[in-house]
């Protein structure tokens, strides 16, 4: 019973580099959500995707951030030209139904920008 | 948009006592209210959720109550154990919305 998988678990990037975070949802789930968590804070919604479609990206910064969920393979959150303020834990969640219900989270990727 | 306030930010209880965490939300259209438990360095785990068509839901030592009129909901943990120590997050989502809006969390410490 594989849950949501994320990799890498830890990622260190220098300012200006690109970060690619991967998320494989629970088998059979076709809905993926990305959240960002800063230290001592709750999770902030970034983007919701279904296979090959971005449904809601209202929480994602308009520049440097992009997300995809291709027909085959994991969902990818891409951050270009990283800055120190991008340092955070990025969590992916998946659900089996449309909507916000019963989202199961992965272990997160902790991004550190030096 | 939705705004969720969570109180208290920290809570210490003796083992065996009850713990109560409260959240308020701003969007009267919200209809889904999950609670997550996050241990240090781990993933948030869904522990219980409630939809707006019920006022209370219970699962063993955990219960959630919802007051739609007052726009608040609470998590109750009875007979607390040291392994209940973690950060607990409430969240809310509105009808037609896909995103969960989270509170800032409550750090629960259960003292043996």
């Amino acid at each position: 019973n594989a849950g949501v998988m994320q990799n890498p678990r830890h990622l260190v990037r220098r300012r200006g580099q690109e970060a690619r975070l991967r998320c494989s949802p629970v088998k059979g789930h076709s809905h993926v959500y990305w959240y960002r968590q800063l230290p001592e804070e709750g999770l902030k919604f970034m983007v919701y995707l279904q296979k090959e479609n971005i449904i809601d990206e209202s929480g994602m910064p308009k520049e440097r951030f992009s997300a995809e969920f291709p027909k085959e393979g994991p969902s990818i959150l891409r951050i270009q030209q990283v800055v120190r303020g991008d340092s955070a834990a990025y969590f992916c969640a998946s659900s089996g139904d449309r909507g916000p219900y019963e989202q199961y989270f992965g272990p997160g990727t902790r991004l550190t920008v030096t | 948009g939705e705004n969720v306030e969570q109180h208290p930010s920290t809570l210490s209880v003796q083992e065996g006592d009850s713990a109560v965490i409260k959240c308020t939300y701003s969007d009267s259209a919200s209809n889904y209210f999950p609670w997550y438990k996050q241990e240090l360095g781990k993933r948030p785990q869904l522990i219980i959720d409630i939809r707006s068509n019920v006022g209370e839901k219970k699962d063993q030592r955990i219960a959630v109550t919802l007051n739609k009129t007052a726009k608040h909901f609470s998590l109750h943990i009875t007979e607390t154990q040291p392994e209940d120590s973690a950060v607990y997050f409430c969240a809310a989502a509105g009808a037609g919305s896909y995103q969960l809006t989270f509170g800032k969390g409550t750090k629960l410490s259960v003292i043996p």
Side-chain angles (χ1 to χ4, degrees):
Chain A
N1 182 19
V4 178
M5 309 286 283
Q6 287 187 251
N7 68 81
R9 296 291 309 277
H10 300 273
L11 182 61
V12 180
R13 285 286 177 266
R14 291 199 186 101
R15 279 178 297 170
Q17 291 185 319
E18 178 180 288
R20 279 188 183 232
L21 289 60
R22 295 174 189 78
C23 168
S24 296
V26 171
K27 189 175 180 181
H29 283 187
S30 57
H31 305 263
V32 166
Y33 312 79
W34 285 93
Y35 292 84
R36 177 162 63 178
Q37 185 177 38
L38 295 170
E40 310 295 320
E41 293 280 327
L43 296 101
K44 302 280 190 209
F45 169 82
M46 298 181 74
V47 61
Y48 162 49
L49 310 102
Q50 292 180 23
K51 285 280 186 182
E52 301 184 274
N53 285 303
I54 297 174
I55 307 300
D56 181 357
E57 56 182 346
S58 60
M60 199 156 66
K62 299 239 181 310
E63 304 200 349
R64 302 189 299 107
F65 285 73
S66 62
E68 62 178 15
F69 189 15
K71 188 176 179 182
E72 302 290 338
S75 174
I76 307 269
L77 179 67
R78 182 181 177 207
I79 311 173
Q80 295 179 290
Q81 299 172 346
V82 296
V83 301
R84 287 224 172 101
D86 297 332
S87 295
Y90 292 83
F91 288 93
C92 155
S94 75
S95 67
D97 292 319
R98 188 178 180 89
Y101 312 111
E102 294 188 28
Q103 295 183 27
Y104 294 94
F105 282 80
T109 294
R110 278 149 185 86
L111 172 65
T112 302
V113 179
T114 61
Chain B
E2 176 66 276
N3 183 49
V4 176
E5 300 283 340
Q6 183 171 348
H7 299 280
S9 56
T10 59
L11 179 60
S12 291
V13 299
Q14 291 291 134
E15 182 178 358
D17 286 351
S18 294
V20 181
I21 302 170
K22 298 182 180 181
C23 289
T24 59
Y25 60 98
S26 61
D27 186 353
S28 56
S30 288
N31 63 357
Y32 177 62
F33 308 92
W35 286 87
Y36 286 84
K37 174 184 179 182
Q38 187 177 30
E39 296 174 60
L40 190 62
K42 300 285 182 66
R43 72 184 74 197
Q45 286 184 294
L46 178 64
I47 56 171
I48 196 166
D49 58 8
I50 192 168
R51 302 200 189 193
S52 59
N53 56 344
V54 296
E56 184 173 359
K57 184 175 177 181
K58 191 172 181 182
D59 182 4
Q60 299 183 347
R61 296 186 297 109
I62 293 172
V64 58
T65 59
L66 171 65
N67 183 328
K68 285 195 66 181
T69 304
K71 290 191 285 187
H72 68 69
F73 56 112
S74 301
L75 178 71
H76 304 253
I77 306 174
T78 58
E79 300 171 20
T80 53
Q81 301 166 4
E83 50 265 39
D84 294 330
S85 296
V87 179
Y88 290 80
F89 292 98
C90 63
S97 169
Y98 307 107
Q99 54 181 277
L100 292 174
T101 300
F102 283 84
K104 291 196 172 182
T106 296
K107 184 175 181 180
L108 173 65
S109 300
V110 179
I111 304 161

